[in-house]
Amino acid sequence: MCGIIGYLGHKEAYPIIINGLKKLEYRGYDSSGIAVFYKNGYNLYKTKGRVYELEKKISSCKKKIKGTTGIGHTRWATHGIADHINAHPHVSNSNELIIIHNGIIENYYAIKIILLKNGFTFKSQTDTEVLVNLIEYLKKENKLSLEEAVRISLNEIIGAYSIVVVEKSHPETIIIAKLGSPLSLGINNKEFFVASDPISFINYTKSVLYLKDGEMAILKKGKELDLRKIIDNHRLNPIVKKLKINLKEIEKGEYKYFMLKEIYEQPKTILDTLRGRLLIPEKIICINGVEFNKDIFIHAKCITIVACGTSWHAGLIGEYLLEELTRIPVEVEYASEFRYRNPILGKNDVIIVISQSGETADTLAALKLAKKKGAFVFGICNVVGSSIARNVDAGAYTHAGPEIGVASTKAFTAQITVLILLSLIIGKNRSTINNNRYKFLCKELGLIPEKVDYTLKIVDSIIRKISQIYYNVNNFLYLGRGINFPVALEGALKLKEISYIHAEGYPAAEMKHGPIALVDENMPVVFVAIKEGFYNKIVANIQEIKARKGKVIVIINEDDTQVNMLADHVIKIPSTPEILSPLLTVIPLQLLAYQIAYIRGENIDQPRNLAKSVTVE
Ligand code: F6R
């Protein structure tokens, strides 16, 4: 959480920083701030709220902000409320050092006490202000250069950070460092761009160095990059990569919100995730990360899937897929629980971590714990080069492209697509799936992108109608069974996070063990009731809700005639084998959440209290 950006070069820094911040807002939008440096001074602006508030504040000052070094920050509050005092950049007591920070300094309080004893004072409640003053203290006490003071300070702190530090009197140098939180450095002909996410500077350069944990860099105007290890100042060779993202992928285009764009991108993103992996008509599936480690998967006694939020829901779907197709027992764990309960893991255990951002702090910590205990860790990540992607033993990217809307949509279906491919490969190699079924599922999987496209076309108008009727209710229930139970959980999560309507997902049969007490004529209940599998059972569950006057919204197959008669509202989708059905059933649920939030006038891409990348635990 929090987005940071910095620039050092020959261009005016302000437009680069402010436009970069707009692209980083998905990481947090409680407050924002910038500092642009000129010889021996700087202009500093901060405000509560979003970047456009900051821009408004700056333009109302009518002061020209000039300077070729600049830093900016957009905050997701951890220490201290979301106001302009806690907003970054933070300044040291002497006014000499200015810092932006993403992460959490766990031992900040102990350091603060020492600094207070040494006469330092603090304006904000943040851990970051403590860090900048620690740097100042060590610099003055020991007569250190800025880079050495930063390095030694970082060796004193416990926690996670990506930081940019500038000295007022030497704005031609900036120091950056990383541990735990992401930091990328864009390089263009001795011009430097630093950011939590390279999408914020992609229109200036595609040459990027991803700093690794424990690395810092000293950037000097017009000079080559100087990369070092924080622990011992050892000089490192920078490895610069070429980014493949194109600008269109990070723009809204004709769509009002990124979330809607990303929902509509799913036919393409699923196809991209299948590309080169599912070869039709030969019906060959190949994922390199699986191919090179086939024996580990084939002989796995059990598989544990670890993730958070929507990725955890994809993991639950993965449990159904893997158990059904490979007959290997699977457990699915919240990363935040897994990492703190001393899990029993050993050498032959297989852990699958799933993460869109590849930066989720709990998932990353779970991964590290699993590796430490000797398990084999396979990653399913969307963001190329992210911390999780770099730390796993092997993995598969989801190729969904940048997901900017805070509510995850296309990453979810891409994760499920990878899990289907993985289950089919392992199942085939373990002979737990016969050749006919394998071929049939490969063929049907190949048809999914087209069917998603068709679904998007046919469900749009009915979902708008349903949303108009229910946008003002206080509660929603989502019910599904089998592989569509996690889809019900995901539908409920989508609705609550962007519309703030309370919503719960349950396995349909669990209703009568408690939640049915909530049902009355005001309660909309969404059923995923596709024709295979549990169809008759779910029809009975629908009748139970109708008997209590609940309003029933069903997602059914196009050729269904039975549920059609029972429900208040019917959303029809094309048929596919049940095991692939989450890729279709989730589409109307994403759209329903979107339309309801839209009618309620919510800020869909930036829902309150949330951030896209949860880099704190
Ligand atoms: C919900 C959502 C979150 C994320 C969760 C994990 O729409 O986006 O629940 O799924 O924070 O994030 P990743 O997948 O980046 O690890």
Side-chain angles (χ1 to χ4, degrees), residues 443-491:
K443 187 181 120 245
E444 287 293 330
L445 183 57
L447 298 175
I448 288 285
E450 252 172 63
K451 289 188 183 177
V452 173
D453 192 36
Y454 178 65
T455 304
L456 285 163
K457 287 187 181 119
I458 59 172
V459 299
D460 182 63
S461 69
I462 179 70
I463 284 175
R464 282 174 198 263
K465 256 187 226 150
I466 297 171
S467 307
Q468 282 295 348
I469 300 170
Y470 296 106
Y471 76 92
N472 229 354
V473 299
N474 294 322
N475 301 288
F476 252 89
L477 278 175
Y478 285 74
L479 304 177
R481 297 186 78 139
I483 199 165
N484 278 299
F485 155 55
V487 174
L489 294 180
E490 177 60 8

Side-chain angles (χ1 to χ4, degrees), residues 259 307-313 354-361 363-364 380 382-383 388 403 405-409 411-412 415 490 493-494 497-498 610-614:
M259 183 182 177
C308 301
T310 288
S311 299
W312 182 76
H313 294 157
I354 307 178
S355 175
Q356 185 287 127
S357 61
E359 299 295 346
T360 301
T363 312
L364 185 58
I380 300 177
N382 194 38
V383 177
I388 291 176
E403 189 179 66
V406 163
S408 184
T409 52
F412 179 67
Q415 290 163 348
E490 177 60 8
L493 177 63
K494 288 291 88 91
E497 67 184 330
I498 61 169
L610 293 176
K612 183 76 185 157
S613 178
V614 186

Side-chain angles (χ1 to χ4, degrees), residues 2 30 32 50 125 200 248 265 271 277 296 309 382 384 396 410 419 448 451 469 474 535 545:
C2 297
D30 288 333
S32 56
R50 291 157 201 254
Q125 295 140 340
S200 57
K248 267 219 171 104
E265 275 174 354
L271 190 65
R277 291 167 168 172
I296 298 179
N382 194 38
V384 176
K410 63 175 181 173
L419 287 162
I448 288 285
K451 289 188 183 177
I469 300 170
N474 294 322
Y535 185 69
I545 298 294

Side-chain angles (χ1 to χ4, degrees), residues 187-442:
I187 304 168
N188 181 32
N189 231 345
K190 295 186 182 156
E191 245 185 325
F192 297 112
F193 303 82
V194 195
S196 307
D197 185 335
I199 63 168
S200 57
F201 56 69
I202 187 91
N203 38 344
Y204 299 100
T205 181
K206 289 192 176 168
S207 301
V208 175
L209 177 135
Y210 292 100
L211 267 83
K212 295 199 186 98
D213 280 346
E215 289 182 357
M216 65 184 285
I218 300 127
L219 311 176
K220 287 187 193 289
K221 199 171 184 168
K223 299 259 166 65
E224 294 299 334
L225 149 74
D226 183 359
L227 188 67
R228 308 255 170 171
K229 264 194 171 164
I230 296 169
I231 186 95
D232 56 9
N233 211 20
H234 179 77
R235 223 188 179 123
L236 298 163
N237 267 341
I239 299 170
V240 178
K241 298 191 169 147
K242 275 270 173 242
L243 270 184
K244 288 199 184 111
I245 307 173
N246 79 44
L247 269 178
K248 267 219 171 104
E249 286 181 308
I250 54 166
E251 279 161 6
K252 274 192 287 217
E254 76 217 55
Y255 292 94
K256 185 134 182 52
Y257 286 99
F258 276 109
M259 183 182 177
L260 191 62
K261 177 180 180 237
E262 287 156 8
I263 291 173
Y264 275 87
E265 275 174 354
Q266 289 175 106
K268 177 176 178 300
T269 51
I270 295 173
L271 190 65
D272 287 345
T273 303
L274 292 174
R275 184 165 292 126
R277 291 167 168 172
L278 173 67
L279 307 178
I280 300 259
E282 297 92 331
K283 308 194 177 59
I284 297 168
I285 300 178
C286 177
I287 296 179
N288 287 341
V290 181
E291 205 55 38
F292 299 144
N293 299 285
K294 214 151 63 186
D295 282 350
I296 298 179
F297 280 109
I298 293 171
H299 301 299
K301 288 209 174 58
C302 76
I303 295 177
T304 307
I305 301 179
V306 183
C308 301
T310 288
S311 299
W312 182 76
H313 294 157
L316 290 177
I317 292 171
E319 178 179 21
Y320 282 86
L321 286 163
L322 283 160
E323 290 198 341
E324 167 72 16
L325 298 175
T326 73
R327 306 310 296 150
I328 300 171
V330 177
E331 291 296 328
V332 186
E333 302 247 13
Y334 286 115
S336 53
E337 291 297 317
F338 178 85
R339 63 180 287 199
Y340 285 119
R341 65 168 184 74
N342 196 9
I344 302 161
L345 289 175
K347 209 165 170 289
N348 296 320
D349 290 313
V350 174
I351 307 292
I352 299 178
V353 291
I354 307 178
S355 175
Q356 185 287 127
S357 61
E359 299 295 346
T360 301
D362 284 323
T363 312
L364 185 58
L367 176 174
K368 288 182 178 163
L369 174 73
K371 274 183 82 172
K372 203 162 136 198
K373 286 181 177 265
F376 169 78
V377 185
F378 185 85
I380 300 177
C381 276
N382 194 38
V383 177
V384 176
S386 55
S387 302
I388 291 176
R390 285 202 309 267
N391 277 282
V392 289
D393 294 306
Y397 281 118
T398 42
H399 301 311
E403 189 179 66
I404 293 168
V406 163
S408 184
T409 52
K410 63 175 181 173
F412 179 67
T413 47
Q415 290 163 348
I416 299 169
T417 306
V418 170
L419 287 162
I420 294 171
L421 291 171
L422 180 67
S423 308
L424 283 167
I425 303 177
I426 308 172
K428 185 154 192 281
N429 280 285
R430 281 171 60 93
S431 306
T432 45
I433 166 170
N434 72 40
N435 218 16
N436 284 344
R437 190 174 184 208
Y438 173 83
K439 281 186 181 164
F440 172 69
L441 288 177
C442 285

